[in-house]
Amino acid sequence: MLAATAAAAARRLIEAGRALAARGWLPAGSGNLSAVVGRDPLRLLVSRSGADKGHLTDEDLVLVDGEGRPVDGGARPSDETALHLAVVATHGARAGAVLHTHSVWATLLSDLAAPDGELVLEGYELLKGLAGVTTHGHAERVPVLENSQDYAALGARVAAALAARPQAHGLLLRRHGLYAWGQVVDAARRHLEALETLFEVEGRRRQLPAR
Amino acid sequence: MLAATAAAAARRLIEAGRALAARGWLPAGSGNLSAVVGRDPLRLLVSRSGADKGHLTDEDLVLVDGEGRPVDGGARPSDETALHLAVVATHGARAGAVLHTHSVWATLLSDLAAPDGELVLEGYELLKGLAGVTTHGHAERVPVLENSQDYAALGARVAAALAARPQAHGLLLRRHGLYAWGQVVDAARRHLEALETLFEVEGRRRQLPAR
Amino acid sequence: MLAATAAAAARRLIEAGRALAARGWLPAGSGNLSAVVGRDPLRLLVSRSGADKGHLTDEDLVLVDGEGRPVDGGARPSDETALHLAVVATHGARAGAVLHTHSVWATLLSDLAAPDGELVLEGYELLKGLAGVTTHGHAERVPVLENSQDYAALGARVAAALAARPQAHGLLLRRHGLYAWGQVVDAARRHLEALETLFEVEGRRRQLPAR
Amino acid sequence: MLAATAAAAARRLIEAGRALAARGWLPAGSGNLSAVVGRDPLRLLVSRSGADKGHLTDEDLVLVDGEGRPVDGGARPSDETALHLAVVATHGARAGAVLHTHSVWATLLSDLAAPDGELVLEGYELLKGLAGVTTHGHAERVPVLENSQDYAALGARVAAALAARPQAHGLLLRRHGLYAWGQVVDAARRHLEALETLFEVEGRRRQLPAR
C-alpha cells in the first residue's frame, strides 16, 4: 500500500519537476520536491541531492523518515529535507506535498519584502487558485525568512513561522526562493504557480516609476 | 447538427486551451473557454469548473443553456459561465466564442487602468488583427470593470458595458484578467493574442522612467 | 529551375515562420515572409494574406511579379507585398529574402526612436551576426519610418530610405514592427534575430532609472 | 581513448547547444562551445565558425591543438577559440569545458558593470550551484573585460584576469556576453545557468526606481 502510494506520488513529482524546470524555476539544478506517502510513521519521498529536477527518475527520489534518514539506504536526500519535514509536520494534511523553486521573481521579491517579514498578496482573482480561498478580497500573507545554511535551525524557524500562520500556502526564504505546498502534488503545483505568477505581477508593479 | 457543430467547436477550444496555457496565460488552472454551438435556443459549450485548461478533453466541456444550466447534466460548468453568457448575449454573432485569460500583463494593466474605466490602445498596426479594424489609427477602448465574486451582478455589469461599446473585442476585470471574443474560436484567439501583446507593449512603456 | 528554387525557398520560409512564431514575434497572425526566386523577370514568393505564419503550407505562399500580381492566380498575397518589393528592388542581391515581425520590443522601440528617424545600435558584439559587419565597433543605423495604410506610398518611402542607407539590414515602421532581409532566408533570419535581440537590450536599458 | 572521450564530449556539447539555444542565449548563430578531450598534449573540441549552435552535429565540432590549429584539418574553428584556450590553460582541471553565450541580460549587465571591472553576485542561495561554493554568503566576483576583435591580445587579457581570480566560474566581455566553465560540460552548463539567472535578478533589481 505504501509502495503503491509512493509510486503514484513519484509519477506526480517527476511530472511536476519537468513542468517547473520548463518554466525556468529550477535553474542550475536547484530546487527540490517531496510528497508524504505515509503519516504513521511519517514517510516522505524527496528528491535526492544533486538530481536534475527537470529529468527526475524513480532512482532520484528517496524515501526518508521523520528525521530525514533514508529508510532503505541508497541516495542522499536533498540537504533541505529538514525544511520539507518542518512544513509537513506543522501543516499536517494541508501539506501532503512540498515544492521548492528558485525563480528570478521569487529571488528578487523575497529580498525586497524581507525587511517586512512578509509579502502580502491581496485583491487578485488568481488567489482563488489557493485551496480554501474563495474571494479576490483575500490577503495572502507569505512569510519571508532570512536564509541560512544551518538547515536544522532554519527548519525550526520555518515551523515557528508556519505555526503562526496556519492558513499559509507558501513561504519565501530571502534571496533563495519559494516553498509551496498542498494536500497532494498537483495542489502544491497549483499553489506554486499562483504565487509565482503574482510575484511577477508584484515585481513588475514595483518597476513602475513613482508618480 | 448540434452534435457536429459542438464536436468541431470542442476541437478548437481544446487546441486554444493548449496554446494559451503554453503562453503562461492560464496559470494555476485559471481561465475558461466557451463557444456558441446553437443560438435558438442558446447552447454554449464551456469548460467545466476546475479543469486543466492546458489539457482539456471532451469531458471537460459542458453544454449549457442560456441560463448556464447543464443541458445533459454531468460536470459543473465554470463559475464564470454567467460572464460568458453576458458576452454572447450582448454581442450576438460577433461573439461566437469567448476566451478568458489571467496573464501577468492583463492583471497589472487592468489595475493601472481601472481608475479610468478603460484602457485605450491606439496607433498600433497590430490592432488590425481585430475584426473590422482596417487602420492602425483605430482606438480600441477596452472597458475595465471592478472585479466581483457575485457573478450574476457582474454579468449584468458586463452586459451593460458591452451594450455601450458594441465594437469592443475584449474586456478587462480589475486584477483579474481579460475576456476576448470573436465570431469563431480562432477569431477569439487572434483577438486575445493581439490584445495581450499590446498590453505587454503598454505595460513596458509605463516602466520607462519619466523624462 | 524556377520551380526547384521556389520549392527550396518555400521550405526555408515555412521553417522560418515556425521559428519566429515560436518566439512570439508573429502575434495574432501578423507579419509576413518572402523570398526572391527569380530576378529577370522578378519573381517573389510571399506569404498570402491571412495565413497562419507559424504553420505555413505551400498553399500559403504565392508567387508574384515585380508589381505584386500573382503569377499563377490563386491566393491573395500579403497586403504588405509592396514593402517587400521595395526592399528587394532597392537592395538587390543583398535582399534575396525579407522577413517582417511584430514583436513587443520592435513595436515599443520603433515608437521611442521615431522622433530621431533612426535607431542606432552600436558597440555590440552581436552586430557581427549581420552580413559584412566585422567588428563590434560598427554602428547599425536602423531607419524608422512613420506607419501608413497606403502601402504604395509607404513602399516609395521605404525605397528612398534604403537607397540612402545601402548597408542597412533592417527597417522599423513606427508602432508596427521590423523588416529584416538577407541574401537568403537563413541570412535574413540571422539578421532579424540579431536586431530583435539588440532591441530588447536597448529597451531594457531605457527602463533603467536615470542616475 | 581520445576518440571515445571526444565522442562523449561531443554528445554533451550538442545537448548543451540545444538547451542554451532554447533559452534564447545563442541568438543569430552567436556563441561557441568547447570541451577538453586531452591534456598532454592539449586537445580541445570546439564548435566551428558559423555553425548553428542549436543544432550542432559531429561535423560542426573541430579538434584543435593548444594553438587553436585544427588537428585533422577540416572546418575552421570558432574565431574565439583563443579565448577558450586561455580559459582552459589558466584554470586547468577546473575548466574542462567552456560555454559562451550572448544573452540579453549578460549583454546589458556587462555594460553596466564594466566601469567597475567586475560584477559581484553575493548573498544568493543559487551561488551554491557553482562548484566549491557552500554558502549563500559567498561573493562571486565575475571579471568584466572590454571587448576586442584582436582575439590573441584579448586571450592574454583573459588569462591575466583569470590568473588573478583562480576561483572564478565565469567572465564577462563588455556588450558581448558570458564565458562560463566547469570540470565537465554539464558542470559548465550548471555554472552558466546559475550566473545567467543571477544576471537577470541583478538586472531587474537595477530597474527598480530609486527610493
Side-chain angles (χ1 to χ4, degrees):
Chain A
M1 161 97 189
L2 177 63
T5 303
R11 278 195 304 273
R12 304 315 300 154
L13 288 175
I14 289 169
E15 169 59 18
R18 195 203 53 74
L20 301 180
R23 295 295 296 267
W25 293 343
L26 300 170
S30 65
N32 30 71
L33 306 86
S34 74
V36 173
V37 296
R39 278 281 178 187
D40 190 12
L42 185 67
R43 291 292 178 266
L44 186 75
L45 196 63
V46 62
S47 53
R48 71 171 174 82
S49 181
D52 175 355
K53 280 76 178 187
H55 298 89
L56 289 174
T57 64
D58 286 339
E59 285 67 45
D60 293 321
L61 297 167
V62 191
L63 196 66
V64 302
D65 65 16
E67 309 299 316
R69 290 172 301 222
V71 172
D72 307 310
R76 187 162 69 91
S78 166
D79 290 342
E80 297 183 39
T81 298
L83 308 189
H84 289 251
L85 288 167
V87 174
V88 302
T90 312
H91 269 215
R94 291 184 75 250
V98 182
L99 304 176
H100 169 45
T101 47
H102 282 208
S103 77
V104 166
W105 291 109
T107 303
L108 183 53
L109 265 280
S110 65
D111 196 36
L112 299 177
D116 301 326
E118 65 177 9
L119 178 66
V120 184
L121 303 169
E122 189 169 8
Y124 294 111
E125 181 73 11
L126 193 54
L127 291 166
K128 289 168 62 188
L130 305 175
V133 175
T134 57
T135 169
H136 65 285
H138 173 75
E140 179 78 10
R141 311 185 86 84
V142 183
V144 185
L145 303 187
E146 293 293 331
N147 194 22
S148 169
Q149 298 305 318
D150 179 345
Y151 290 119
L154 184 51
R157 283 198 280 126
V158 166
L162 296 190
R165 298 194 192 281
Q167 303 306 319
H169 301 82
L171 173 143
L172 284 164
L173 297 179
R174 187 174 195 173
R175 289 190 174 213
H176 179 154
L178 171 67
Y179 278 79
W181 51 87
Q183 284 195 307
V184 294
V185 174
D186 286 358
R189 263 182 74 177
R190 202 177 66 237
H191 297 170
L192 186 120
E193 202 168 322
L195 293 173
E196 286 281 6
T197 301
L198 292 174
F199 293 164
E200 183 177 342
V201 173
E202 284 291 323
R204 294 195 185 281
R205 178 192 301 281
R206 294 180 189 214
Q207 290 179 337
L208 296 169
R211 269 162 258 225
Chain B
M1 161 97 189
L2 177 63
T5 303
R11 278 195 304 273
R12 304 314 301 153
L13 289 174
I14 289 169
E15 169 59 18
R18 194 202 54 74
L20 301 180
R23 295 295 296 266
W25 294 342
L26 300 170
S30 66
N32 30 71
L33 305 86
S34 74
V36 174
V37 295
R39 277 280 179 187
D40 190 12
L42 185 68
R43 291 291 179 267
L44 186 76
L45 196 63
V46 63
S47 52
R48 70 171 175 81
S49 182
D52 175 355
K53 281 76 179 189
H55 298 90
L56 290 174
T57 64
D58 286 339
E59 285 66 44
D60 293 321
L61 296 167
V62 191
L63 196 66
V64 301
D65 65 16
E67 309 300 317
R69 289 172 304 221
V71 172
D72 308 310
R76 188 163 68 90
S78 165
D79 291 341
E80 296 183 38
T81 298
L83 307 189
H84 288 251
L85 288 168
V87 175
V88 304
T90 312
H91 269 216
R94 291 184 75 251
V98 181
L99 304 176
H100 170 44
T101 47
H102 281 209
S103 75
V104 166
W105 290 110
T107 303
L108 183 52
L109 266 279
S110 65
D111 196 36
L112 299 177
D116 301 326
E118 66 178 7
L119 177 66
V120 185
L121 303 169
E122 188 169 10
Y124 293 111
E125 181 74 10
L126 194 53
L127 291 166
K128 289 168 63 188
L130 304 175
V133 175
T134 58
T135 169
H136 64 286
H138 173 76
E140 179 78 10
R141 311 185 87 82
V142 183
V144 184
L145 303 187
E146 292 293 330
N147 194 24
S148 169
Q149 298 306 318
D150 180 345
Y151 290 118
L154 184 51
R157 283 198 280 126
V158 165
L162 296 190
R165 299 194 192 280
Q167 304 305 320
H169 301 82
L171 174 144
L172 283 164
L173 297 179
R174 188 174 195 173
R175 288 191 175 212
H176 179 156
L178 172 67
Y179 278 78
W181 51 87
Q183 284 195 306
V184 294
V185 175
D186 287 359
R189 262 182 76 178
R190 201 177 66 237
H191 296 171
L192 186 119
E193 202 168 321
L195 293 172
E196 287 280 6
T197 302
L198 292 174
F199 293 163
E200 184 177 342
V201 173
E202 284 290 325
R204 293 195 186 280
R205 178 191 302 281
R206 294 181 188 214
Q207 289 179 337
L208 296 169
R211 270 164 259 223
Chain C
M1 161 98 187
L2 178 62
T5 303
R11 279 196 303 273
R12 304 314 300 153
L13 289 174
I14 289 169
E15 170 59 18
R18 193 202 54 73
L20 301 180
R23 294 295 296 266
W25 293 343
L26 301 171
S30 65
N32 30 71
L33 306 87
S34 74
V36 174
V37 295
R39 277 280 178 187
D40 189 14
L42 185 68
R43 291 292 179 265
L44 187 76
L45 196 63
V46 61
S47 54
R48 72 171 175 81
S49 183
D52 175 355
K53 280 76 179 188
H55 298 89
L56 290 174
T57 64
D58 286 339
E59 285 66 44
D60 293 321
L61 296 167
V62 191
L63 196 66
V64 301
D65 65 16
E67 309 299 317
R69 290 172 303 221
V71 172
D72 308 311
R76 187 162 69 89
S78 166
D79 291 342
E80 296 183 39
T81 299
L83 307 189
H84 288 251
L85 288 168
V87 174
V88 303
T90 312
H91 268 215
R94 292 184 75 250
V98 182
L99 304 176
H100 170 45
T101 46
H102 282 209
S103 75
V104 166
W105 290 109
T107 302
L108 183 53
L109 267 279
S110 65
D111 197 36
L112 300 178
D116 301 326
E118 65 177 9
L119 177 66
V120 185
L121 303 169
E122 188 170 8
Y124 293 111
E125 180 74 9
L126 194 54
L127 291 166
K128 289 169 63 187
L130 304 175
V133 175
T134 57
T135 168
H136 64 285
H138 173 76
E140 179 77 10
R141 311 184 86 83
V142 183
V144 185
L145 303 186
E146 292 294 330
N147 194 22
S148 170
Q149 298 305 318
D150 180 346
Y151 290 118
L154 184 52
R157 283 199 280 125
V158 165
L162 296 190
R165 298 194 192 280
Q167 303 307 319
H169 301 82
L171 174 143
L172 284 164
L173 297 180
R174 188 175 194 173
R175 287 190 174 211
H176 179 155
L178 171 67
Y179 278 78
W181 50 87
Q183 284 195 306
V184 294
V185 175
D186 286 359
R189 261 182 76 177
R190 201 178 66 237
H191 297 171
L192 186 120
E193 201 167 323
L195 294 172
E196 287 281 7
T197 302
L198 292 174
F199 294 164
E200 183 175 343
V201 173
E202 284 290 324
R204 294 195 186 279
R205 179 191 300 281
R206 294 181 188 213
Q207 289 179 338
L208 296 168
R211 267 164 259 223
Chain D
M1 161 97 188
L2 177 63
T5 303
R11 279 196 302 274
R12 304 314 300 153
L13 288 174
I14 289 169
E15 170 58 19
R18 195 203 54 71
L20 301 180
R23 295 294 296 266
W25 293 343
L26 301 170
S30 66
N32 30 71
L33 306 87
S34 74
V36 174
V37 295
R39 277 280 177 187
D40 189 13
L42 186 67
R43 290 293 180 266
L44 187 75
L45 197 63
V46 62
S47 53
R48 72 171 175 82
S49 182
D52 175 355
K53 280 76 178 186
H55 298 89
L56 290 174
T57 65
D58 286 339
E59 285 67 44
D60 293 321
L61 296 168
V62 191
L63 195 67
V64 301
D65 65 17
E67 309 299 317
R69 290 172 303 222
V71 172
D72 308 311
R76 187 162 70 90
S78 166
D79 291 342
E80 297 183 38
T81 299
L83 307 188
H84 288 251
L85 287 168
V87 174
V88 302
T90 312
H91 268 215
R94 291 185 76 249
V98 181
L99 304 176
H100 170 43
T101 47
H102 282 207
S103 76
V104 166
W105 290 109
T107 303
L108 183 52
L109 266 280
S110 64
D111 196 36
L112 300 177
D116 301 326
E118 65 177 9
L119 178 66
V120 184
L121 304 169
E122 189 169 7
Y124 293 111
E125 180 73 10
L126 193 54
L127 291 166
K128 289 168 64 187
L130 305 175
V133 175
T134 57
T135 169
H136 65 286
H138 173 75
E140 179 77 10
R141 312 184 87 85
V142 183
V144 184
L145 304 186
E146 292 293 331
N147 194 21
S148 170
Q149 298 306 318
D150 180 345
Y151 289 119
L154 184 52
R157 282 200 279 126
V158 166
L162 296 189
R165 298 193 191 283
Q167 303 307 319
H169 300 81
L171 174 143
L172 284 164
L173 297 180
R174 189 174 193 173
R175 287 191 175 212
H176 179 154
L178 171 67
Y179 278 78
W181 50 87
Q183 284 196 306
V184 293
V185 175
D186 286 359
R189 263 182 74 177
R190 201 178 67 237
H191 297 170
L192 186 118
E193 201 167 322
L195 293 173
E196 287 281 7
T197 301
L198 292 174
F199 293 164
E200 183 176 342
V201 173
E202 283 291 322
R204 294 195 185 280
R205 179 191 300 280
R206 294 180 189 215
Q207 290 179 338
L208 296 169
R211 268 164 261 217

